[in-house]
Amino acid sequence: MAEPLLEVRDLVTCFEADGGEIAAVDGVSLHVDAGETLSIVGESGSGKSVTSLSIMRLLPKPAGYIRSGDISFEGEALRDKSEADMRRVRGRRIAMIYQEPMTSLNPVFTVGQQIMEAIELHLGLSRRDARARAIDMLRLVGIPAPEDRIDDYPHHMSGGMRQRVMIAMALSCEPKLLIADEPTTALDATVQAQILELLRKLKRELGMSIMLITHDLGVVAETCDRVVVMYGGKIVEEGDVRSIFRKPLHPYTEGLLASIPRIDETRERLHVIPGIVPNPRDRGAGCRFASRCAYVMDECRARLPELRQIATGRNVACFLAEERNR
Amino acid sequence: MGFLRKIVASRLAALGLILTVAVAFMAIFAPWLTPFDPAAQDVTQRLIPPFGRTPEGLHLLGTDALGRDVLSRLIIASRISLLVGVAAVIVSGFFGVMLGLIAGYDDQRAGRVIMAVADVQLAVPFLVLALAVAAVLGPSVFNLVVVLGVTNWVQYARVVRAEALTLREREFVQAALALGASTPRILARHLLPNVMSSVIVISSLQVARMILFEASLSFLGLGVPAQIPTWGSMIADGRNYVSSAWWVAAMPGIAIFLTVVGINLLGDRLRDLLDPKLRHMER
Amino acid sequence: MARYLATRAIYSVLVIFGVAVLVFFLVRLGGDPTALFLPPESSIEEIARFRRQMGFDRPLLIQFGEFVWRALQGDFGKSLRYGEPAMRLVWDRFPATLQLSAVSLLLSVVIAVPLGIAAAVNRDSLTDRVGLFFSLVGQSFPTFWLGIMLILVFSEKLAILPPSGRGTWQQLVLPAVSLAAYSTAIITRLLRSSMLEVMQADYIRTARGKGLSERVVVYRHAVRNAAIPTITVIALQVGALLGGAVITEEIFAYPGMGRLAIQAIANRDFTIVQAFVIFMAVLIVAINLAVDACYVLLDPRLRKS
Amino acid sequence: MNGAAQPLLEIRDLRKYFRASGSGFFTGEQPPIRAVDGVSLSIERGQTFGLVGESGCGKSTLGRLIARLIEPTSGSIFFEGRDITGLSRSDMREVRRHLQIIFQDPYASLNPRMTVSDIIGEAFEIHGLARGAAKRQEVAKLLDAVGLSRAHIDKYPHEFSGGQRQRIGIARALALKPKLIICDEPVSALDVSIQSQILNLLKDLQREFGLAYLFIAHGLAAVRHISDRIGVMYLGKLVETAPSSEIFTHPAHPYTQALISAIPRPDPDAVRDRIILEGDLPSPAAPPPGCRFHTRCREASRLGTRCMTQEPAWHAAGADHLAACHLVENTGAQ
């Protein structure tokens, strides 16, 4: 099998907070193959965003740092790279878009200036060519009259338009991997549909890989090939999108799926995952989902279940996985 | 006392606390701490340098042009500095918080008038205004407190108003309105408690500022009456002898400096703990 | 944008009118202003004559109307001591004060801006600690005391700089330094905290995510945003500098407006004090207007397309 | 309106125009923002009306208008048949006992300086119903009702998670035993697994206390389970109202159709027939003439220029189902 585009092995990322140390990402291994869309799903505090910032080495300093693990991209170890070498990866080979289109663009520069900046830096184009390319990119992401809009400031644009600009900027240097961190969470449903459609189209046309971070399983079902489900800093389930949705093996994935309000069926009551996401300080020795799990056993509280392969490409961290797969 | 422990977790803030407590202690117990009678003159023993001896004893910080013990006068003068600083902050804080709350809650009529008055006052440099008012009213401790208090409400009013404006839109205030809460209730129960941490921070930094201004006005002879020693007027007295007896002017300045540094260090820490968003505040 | 500035300009005129009201009532705070102008030993006849002469015996409203009417023409009455129009006396001293304040401001900005940025970028480094130390010290001693100590060291002991007067650049050094200390401290501290805040912004993460070097991130993306709150502080410092100049000029016997005002207070020459306060207010309001225009240049969000 | 069938809440042609920021005494008037521009609807006792629309459509403004937290520009609000639009603050206080509101942001909706007992008990103090031990007793009962432990009574808001805070907000609204609660996006800010807990709680409380809800949300999926009727808003106006099941099976207005098709289906094999809306939401300060939706409507050209010039009236699209669209008049109930 070909080497994956991105491979993360045993990543542990910690944050310093109030004198203590919290492992926001606690031993995560995952990979993204060329041309595929991988989704990382989880609720707030699951460690999904921190994983992506670790890959980009953009953790907030000095509070956050990678404790251990390897990250390799196209066969190169990103953790060993100097800061200068890492800058040639960011924006050029791995690009990122973020949750908040309203605050992710610098308010004092035009959108054109901000897109051209990356093009001039990485592709070495002249200002004039960079501008032409920026206009092309704006057209590609579906901004009408890009020759005029290129000189607009971010505050002239709606949230959906700004997210298109962010995408144009991210894709301007034709990266191999696009990390999209909750790219539609802050947007309205119809705008979300526009942006997801755009991402699908661009992926087809440009042949890149996407790592999509989201909490919305609906978004996952529509856009992704494979899914990684995270809970409490750990991967609890991994597999291709069909098998996960058809037969979730981890009780958390199952609960998450069941609690989505669906419009195609009527239920009197919604399914509920009881309890609250536990504070990372109060993690015990056992399974992190134990306190909210409907199938909890004594063993779950005593010992942390390892992520094990249950079927081809299907990994689950639950003692009952085999039984549930039958 | 968890909060006190948080304050002194920073070494600088601990230093600030020690300095502040020391000065406060000095001011409160001044009459029992002075080694000499601060008013006793002896022209034969004038301008004795620090650590100099006279028949009466050791003058740690020397004597001034009238032969008075500088240390004793410093200790007595700390009373006026702290008294004026704290009283002016109470007066200005009271008016500032009240007007700021009103201006923030009703930003249409009352708010506009209040903020226009604030802009008028800000158009005149504070020292100039205080100087002019003090000159008209004449020197007295009471007048000084009134002048400093009345001319410094704007700092509170602006911060409190800005906070009240956002608090008013916050959903807990909306919820109280939906329950039928009256305006006094909204102001007292929902707005005031939520601006208090800012007010405490501003007040602490304002005490330092008021001490500096009191010194400036007293230095110019427009503060307290001449017979009451203050750090500012002591510097003014010493100014004429600065080439021959530097300590007379230098010592009160150092006293002001240590006091103000202490309070500022403490205030900075309070701000970081209570209200980090005030970092941009103009002192 | 022009409309925005026009609104500000009209508001500024209202503010200055407010200052005029303030100044008018200022001398009447203690009741009859006659007592303020004349020495306490004046005879009853003298007082009565002076009161008639100044119009203090007429109804307050008429006095105020006349004050405003004359103020509009730049007439604030004559100085009792010099016999010349008060506003002209103030105006004559303005260049000296302007020079002192401008040099001090320049000094503050030249020191504070690099120091504030360096402190924020290298947080908790030696630079940061030094910057914080100076900003704490700079705002904790009285300006006038610093002036006296500078005179003691550089004029009395070392004898390398003159302690007073105006004319040569050497005479400007000590007053400018002592006046600049406080502003330098404030600007350093605020620029540092603005920079720290801006460096947390989402768009800085975006800039880093593009692969820009830290230098470009700081100087292109962060500084321009941090400049907006810092300009506000610098503008406020102009007011503080002009106010601080009063006492600094007094210490260094520097012939500016501030010294004139202090002498006028000592001489009970309140027409000068009134003219001085109004003049200051006009100056500060004008500076604030200029700052508003600056915002529009710096922050495209304020520009109307 | 005859007495027997009188709805609990009825609003008629309600409007709220906000003054545009930047317009002032010297700058001259800029066109106002028409946040709510002529909305009429009614809510029956014990029923839930789901109000759906995207950001900027005016749905939250409408909620606050009904709670009289802001004053309408015109129109009227009838509560139990009584016009409450012009009521003074003191007359309104009595109405507020029956008309409460819960908010979106569980962090902003609780006063950080008050304990749970103070927050929930404030209602009793304001209306002079209970004090001291009696108040605590009532608060404890409310904590039971919303599924919180009585042990939490003296805690401060920061000691709770988002979902727990939302429960406190609900308890506060329940304290006065209201007949109608306006729920302003109460689950939007919560994690997925917590959302369904709160939705179920609201449903249980409705049954227990006979409450009516105006349930505001930006997505249709969230309101499906809780609503009896659903109304869809676009740019300050209602464009469609229908019973909950009807609107999903037979959406009549092209905007409603687009909204439904935009909901991501958690099923990788679902057949997607997605309607992608073109362009941006127009400014509510200058809404398009004719039908407000025509600039983004893929059907708009079918009727010539009619959609661009003539504002559509309400047309029946089925039993108890109305849509403000010219197409519906032409095609009738589908």
Side-chain angles (χ1 to χ4, degrees):
Chain A
M1 227 175 100
E3 196 175 312
L5 180 71
L6 172 80
E7 184 158 23
V8 175
R9 227 173 290 119
D10 296 323
L11 179 70
V12 179
T13 300
C14 298
F15 274 84
E16 207 89 59
D18 286 333
E21 186 191 73
I22 293 165
V25 173
D26 195 4
V28 161
S29 300
L30 55 83
H31 64 99
V32 181
D33 291 326
E36 82 164 342
T37 302
L38 172 78
S39 179
I40 304 184
V41 187
E43 295 180 277
S44 43
S46 63
K48 55 191 194 302
S49 288
V50 177
T51 304
S52 70
L53 291 175
S54 305
I55 294 168
M56 291 290 270
R57 294 214 348 228
L58 285 176
L59 291 165
K61 275 179 271 189
Y65 52 91
I66 299 175
R67 154 69 49 89
S68 62
D70 297 313
I71 300 165
S72 100
F73 180 72
E74 295 188 302
E76 297 170 26
L78 294 187
R79 267 195 79 193
D80 301 338
K81 283 190 180 295
S82 70
E83 184 54 28
D85 287 340
M86 197 59 211
R87 284 203 294 268
R88 281 190 277 277
V89 174
R90 290 185 202 130
R92 177 72 185 89
R93 293 161 65 193
I94 308 178
M96 205 166 167
I97 57 176
Y98 310 91
Q99 177 174 355
E100 284 296 336
M102 304 312 273
T103 52
S104 291
L105 288 166
N106 194 329
V108 302
F109 296 115
T110 65
V111 297
Q113 286 170 326
Q114 297 187 56
I115 300 174
M116 286 158 63
E117 202 173 24
I119 299 174
E120 287 173 33
L121 175 73
H122 293 301
L123 305 183
L125 296 187
S126 70
R127 177 143 295 199
R128 182 183 216 160
D129 293 344
R131 187 177 166 91
R133 181 164 176 80
I135 293 174
D136 287 346
M137 293 310 300
L138 289 175
R139 189 174 295 122
L140 183 71
V141 298
I143 290 186
E147 302 82 2
D148 302 329
R149 300 310 295 269
I150 190 168
D151 295 319
D152 279 358
Y153 285 95
H155 69 274
H156 291 129
M157 296 186 157
S158 68
M161 283 293 159
R162 290 189 208 191
Q163 197 59 295
R164 284 171 193 267
V165 169
M166 285 297 294
I167 294 172
M169 189 155 82
L171 301 186
S172 61
C173 301
E174 298 182 347
K176 290 276 167 43
L177 174 66
L178 175 69
I179 300 178
D181 187 355
E182 306 246 12
T184 59
T185 305
L187 304 173
D188 273 322
T190 59
V191 185
Q192 164 168 298
Q194 293 173 353
I195 297 291
L196 292 178
E197 184 64 37
L198 176 68
L199 282 177
R200 268 198 300 270
K201 182 190 99 165
L202 292 172
K203 190 196 145 205
R204 236 182 3 250
E205 290 174 8
L206 306 176
M208 62 189 168
S209 304
I210 296 181
M211 188 166 124
L212 179 79
I213 295 162
T214 180
H215 66 267
D216 187 336
L217 283 167
V219 171
V220 174
E222 302 209 341
T223 46
C224 297
D225 304 313
R226 271 190 321 115
V227 184
V228 163
V229 183
M230 287 186 72
Y231 189 83
K234 284 197 165 297
I235 294 179
V236 295
E237 181 157 13
E238 183 183 1
D240 76 89
V241 68
R242 281 207 170 69
S243 40
I244 293 235
F245 276 81
R246 210 164 289 150
K247 196 180 203 181
L249 293 180
H250 197 283
Y252 175 62
T253 320
E254 181 187 57
L256 215 49
L257 263 174
S259 58
I260 305 176
R262 318 226 349 185
I263 55 160
D264 44 6
E265 58 182 74
T266 337
R267 275 174 295 182
E268 183 52 18
R269 289 183 64 81
L270 291 163
H271 178 88
V272 157
I273 304 177
I276 55 175
V277 182
N279 189 325
R281 287 170 202 285
D282 307 335
R283 285 174 186 160
C287 175
R288 286 173 188 173
F289 189 60
S291 64
R292 306 175 70 189
C293 182
Y295 309 98
V296 64
M297 313 177 294
D298 288 345
E299 192 181 7
C300 303
R301 297 203 178 87
R303 197 157 67 80
L304 192 70
E306 292 291 317
L307 190 67
R308 306 188 311 283
Q309 178 154 342
I310 302 300
T312 320
R314 195 78 199 278
N315 301 323
V316 183
C318 176
F319 296 122
L320 292 169
E322 285 86 356
E323 195 177 312
R324 287 162 58 86
N325 193 30
R326 253 173 242 141
Chain B
M1 284 300 280
F3 192 70
L4 194 64
R5 197 169 302 138
K6 269 191 193 165
I7 287 178
V8 299
S10 148
R11 263 181 299 171
L12 279 176
L15 175 68
L17 188 68
I18 292 169
L19 281 172
T20 308
V21 169
V23 173
F25 181 84
M26 181 164 90
I28 293 167
F29 299 102
W32 296 278
L33 295 175
T34 51
F36 298 91
D37 176 359
Q41 303 182 3
D42 183 355
V43 272
T44 61
Q45 304 296 338
R46 64 198 292 266
L47 301 179
I48 305 263
F51 302 108
R53 286 196 167 273
T54 64
E56 283 101 291
L58 176 70
H59 295 274
L60 273 179
L61 299 182
T63 62
D64 70 3
L66 296 174
R68 295 173 295 195
D69 181 54
V70 172
L71 177 62
S72 302
R73 282 174 65 75
L74 270 189
I75 292 173
I76 283 293
S78 68
R79 302 195 118 186
I80 291 296
S81 288
L82 281 201
L83 174 75
V84 171
V86 171
V89 161
I90 291 171
V91 172
S92 56
F94 176 78
F95 287 109
V97 171
M98 205 169 64
L99 292 171
L101 275 183
I102 295 170
Y105 190 70
D106 173 20
D107 65 332
Q108 294 305 312
R109 282 152 310 193
R112 284 189 188 176
V113 172
I114 290 170
M115 291 333 280
V117 172
D119 280 336
V120 167
Q121 194 168 310
L122 286 178
V124 183
F126 161 72
L127 191 64
V128 172
L129 187 63
L131 219 61
V133 177
V136 171
L137 292 180
S140 89
V141 174
F142 179 79
N143 285 352
L144 191 59
V145 169
V146 169
V147 167
L148 291 174
V150 169
T151 48
N152 277 286
W153 62 278
V154 179
Q155 278 76 8
Y156 297 88
R158 294 189 124 194
V159 172
V160 168
R161 171 178 172 270
E163 293 203 350
L165 273 175
T166 51
L167 282 172
R168 191 185 63 170
E169 300 304 322
R170 286 273 292 277
E171 292 173 340
F172 68 81
V173 176
Q174 296 291 312
L177 285 170
L179 287 172
S182 61
T183 301
R185 187 182 185 92
I186 298 277
L187 291 179
R189 293 273 286 165
H190 293 281
L191 299 188
L192 186 62
N194 284 292
V195 301
M196 271 326 277
S197 54
S198 303
V199 171
I200 289 168
V201 172
I202 305 172
S203 302
S204 70
L205 297 172
Q206 282 280 336
V207 169
R209 224 177 91 128
M210 290 304 109
I211 288 173
L212 287 178
F213 279 126
E214 182 276 325
S216 300
L217 290 178
S218 297
F219 174 77
L220 293 173
L222 293 166
V224 300
Q227 65 274 17
I228 305 177
T230 80
W231 289 338
S233 62
M234 287 174 72
I235 297 175
D237 291 343
R239 187 186 167 193
N240 300 324
Y241 311 97
V242 75
S243 52
S244 54
W246 55 271
W247 57 90
V248 184
M251 292 307 169
I254 292 169
I256 295 174
F257 175 74
L258 290 177
T259 309
V260 172
V261 162
I263 297 173
N264 275 339
L265 283 172
L266 204 57
D268 281 345
R269 182 68 180 164
L270 281 177
R271 180 186 57 221
D272 290 346
L273 290 177
L274 290 175
D275 208 348
K277 69 179 176 298
L278 283 178
R279 274 188 311 255
H280 300 306
M281 190 189 68
E282 168 60 0
R283 253 181 213 163
Chain C
M1 173 194 161
R3 182 177 258 185
Y4 167 72
L5 289 180
T7 314
R8 299 294 307 158
I10 294 171
Y11 186 68
S12 300
V13 172
L14 286 180
V15 167
I16 293 184
F17 179 78
V19 175
V21 174
L22 184 77
V23 160
F24 175 79
F25 285 102
L26 184 66
V27 295
R28 287 162 179 82
L29 269 183
D32 186 353
T34 316
L36 210 59
F37 283 82
L38 292 185
E41 62 273 12
S42 315
S43 68
I44 295 169
E45 293 79 37
E46 272 177 322
I47 291 174
R49 179 150 27 86
F50 183 80
R51 182 179 282 148
R52 254 197 324 280
Q53 189 189 328
M54 296 293 282
F56 290 156
D57 51 344
R58 288 181 294 163
L60 206 58
L61 212 60
I62 292 183
Q63 287 185 48
F64 180 64
E66 195 182 2
F67 174 80
V68 170
W69 176 241
R70 284 171 43 197
L72 280 176
Q73 301 159 34
D75 177 6
F76 290 87
K78 282 187 176 159
S79 154
L80 295 181
R81 189 180 172 88
Y82 304 103
E84 284 186 58
M87 191 49 100
R88 190 200 297 157
L89 287 166
V90 173
W91 176 252
D92 287 345
R93 300 284 196 100
F94 174 52
T97 300
L98 182 68
Q99 188 186 33
L100 174 60
S101 306
V103 170
S104 295
L105 184 67
L106 196 68
L107 201 62
S108 304
V109 170
V110 165
I111 297 170
V113 168
L115 190 58
I117 293 174
V121 171
N122 309 301
R123 196 179 182 176
D124 296 329
S125 69
L126 184 67
T127 322
D128 191 17
R129 280 163 209 278
V130 169
L132 279 178
F133 176 76
F134 275 111
S135 94
L136 176 70
V137 170
Q139 57 193 319
S140 295
F141 47 65
T143 306
F144 62 91
W145 181 75
L146 176 64
I148 294 171
M149 291 300 122
L150 287 176
I151 291 175
L152 171 63
V153 175
F154 292 97
S155 304
E156 305 281 348
K157 302 289 176 205
L158 301 178
I160 49 176
L161 287 166
S164 65
R166 172 175 184 247
T168 63
W169 67 265
Q170 287 94 333
Q171 284 169 309
L172 202 55
V173 172
L174 291 184
V177 167
S178 80
L179 186 54
Y182 186 79
S183 306
T184 311
I186 295 276
I187 297 172
T188 306
R189 195 172 67 89
L190 280 132
L191 184 55
R192 174 183 179 271
S193 62
S194 306
M195 278 296 287
L196 283 177
E197 192 171 299
V198 167
M199 293 300 282
Q200 302 292 317
D202 286 349
Y203 53 80
I204 293 297
R205 188 183 54 186
T206 306
R208 287 190 176 131
K210 274 195 266 192
L212 299 177
S213 70
E214 200 57 21
R215 203 170 47 86
V216 176
V217 170
V218 170
Y219 289 98
R220 195 171 138 80
H221 284 267
V223 167
R224 181 122 174 233
N225 282 284
I228 295 164
T230 308
I231 294 274
T232 314
V233 175
I234 292 178
L236 279 168
Q237 285 315 305
V238 176
L241 277 174
L242 287 170
V246 173
I247 203 158
T248 309
E249 287 175 2
E250 172 64 19
I251 302 283
F252 292 96
Y254 185 91
M257 309 189 288
R259 187 143 200 265
L260 177 74
I262 289 199
Q263 286 166 339
I265 287 174
N267 298 331
R268 305 177 158 266
D269 204 349
F270 274 86
T271 48
I272 291 185
V273 178
Q274 285 184 317
F276 172 68
V277 172
I278 296 254
F279 188 84
M280 280 289 207
V282 172
L283 212 57
I284 286 173
V285 165
I287 289 162
N288 286 340
L289 262 184
V291 168
D292 281 337
C294 260
Y295 287 146
V296 177
L297 290 179
L298 274 173
D299 190 346
R301 281 165 293 191
L302 293 173
R303 277 176 231 158
K304 282 267 182 234
S305 49
Chain D
M1 197 95 0
N2 38 21
Q6 184 186 68
L8 178 64
L9 176 86
E10 188 185 2
I11 63 177
R12 289 186 200 153
D13 199 27
L14 202 61
R15 284 165 208 270
K16 177 66 189 180
Y17 294 176
F18 288 105
R19 230 170 60 136
S21 69
S23 58
F25 186 64
F26 300 112
T27 48
E29 285 305 308
Q30 288 169 339
I33 293 160
R34 302 168 173 216
V36 174
D37 202 10
V39 170
S40 303
L41 59 82
S42 58
I43 301 176
E44 308 293 331
R45 285 165 208 277
Q47 301 271 298
T48 301
F49 188 98
L51 186 65
V52 177
E54 295 182 281
S55 30
C57 74
K59 57 189 188 299
S60 283
T61 306
L62 185 62
R64 281 168 203 232
L65 282 172
I66 296 171
R68 285 279 318 270
L69 292 173
I70 46 181
E71 294 301 312
T73 308
S74 69
S76 32
I77 305 163
F78 294 88
F79 188 78
E80 299 191 295
R82 179 184 186 197
D83 187 352
I84 62 167
T85 340
L87 288 189
S88 70
R89 210 166 161 167
S90 51
D91 289 340
M92 191 59 208
R93 188 166 294 168
E94 192 49 37
V95 176
R96 293 196 185 283
R97 291 183 61 169
H98 306 295
L99 176 58
Q100 277 302 306
I101 182 163
I102 56 183
F103 295 95
Q104 172 176 4
D105 184 349
Y107 292 87
S109 62
L110 306 178
N111 187 338
R113 308 273 170 200
M114 284 163 79
T115 63
V116 170
S117 159
D118 289 336
I119 289 169
I120 301 176
E122 187 167 28
F124 303 118
E125 285 184 10
I126 289 170
H127 292 273
L129 298 175
R131 290 192 177 278
K135 183 184 96 175
R136 280 179 74 85
Q137 189 56 38
E138 290 296 320
V139 171
K141 278 192 217 157
L142 286 161
L143 288 177
D144 294 343
V146 298
L148 286 173
S149 156
R150 289 187 176 209
H152 292 327
I153 194 162
D154 289 317
K155 287 191 177 173
Y156 285 90
H158 69 261
E159 299 173 75
F160 295 93
S161 70
Q164 289 173 317
R165 285 168 186 238
Q166 203 55 293
R167 288 174 194 266
I168 298 170
I170 294 170
R172 170 176 57 196
L174 278 180
L176 297 172
K177 308 242 178 321
K179 293 172 180 155
L180 173 68
I181 297 183
I182 296 159
C183 309
D184 188 0
E185 305 214 33
V187 297
S188 307
L190 303 176
D191 265 325
V192 195
S193 69
I194 308 298
Q195 288 190 0
S196 36
Q197 294 178 0
I198 299 296
L199 286 172
N200 282 345
L201 171 67
L202 286 171
K203 206 147 186 185
D204 293 343
L205 293 171
Q206 177 164 48
R207 203 171 303 128
E208 192 177 342
F209 296 103
L211 298 167
Y213 292 135
L214 174 68
F215 194 95
I216 300 171
H218 60 253
L220 273 164
V223 296
R224 161 134 205 185
H225 287 270
I226 198 151
S227 304
D228 299 293
R229 275 186 80 75
I230 288 177
V232 177
M233 267 184 96
Y234 183 79
L235 220 53
K237 280 186 174 297
L238 270 178
V239 297
E240 182 162 6
T241 65
S244 179
S245 53
E246 167 88 1
I247 209 155
F248 285 95
T249 48
H250 301 107
H253 197 285
Y255 178 63
T256 313
Q257 292 164 359
L259 264 187
I260 290 175
S261 87
I263 300 168
R265 310 272 150 83
D267 176 0
D269 295 318
V271 185
R272 291 190 187 85
D273 171 23
R274 178 148 295 162
I275 305 165
I276 301 290
L277 290 183
E278 296 300 322
D280 272 358
L281 190 75
S283 159
C291 172
R292 289 185 178 196
F293 186 58
H294 85 254
T295 53
R296 306 171 76 195
C297 180
R298 63 176 181 178
E299 315 280 355
S301 56
R302 276 171 52 188
L303 297 177
T305 58
R306 190 165 168 211
C307 295
M308 283 139 235
T309 52
Q310 192 186 338
E311 194 171 326
W314 285 104
H315 301 291
D320 209 13
H321 182 173
L322 293 169
C325 176
H326 295 305
L327 283 166
V328 177
E329 182 192 26
N330 285 19
T331 55
Q334 286 164 355

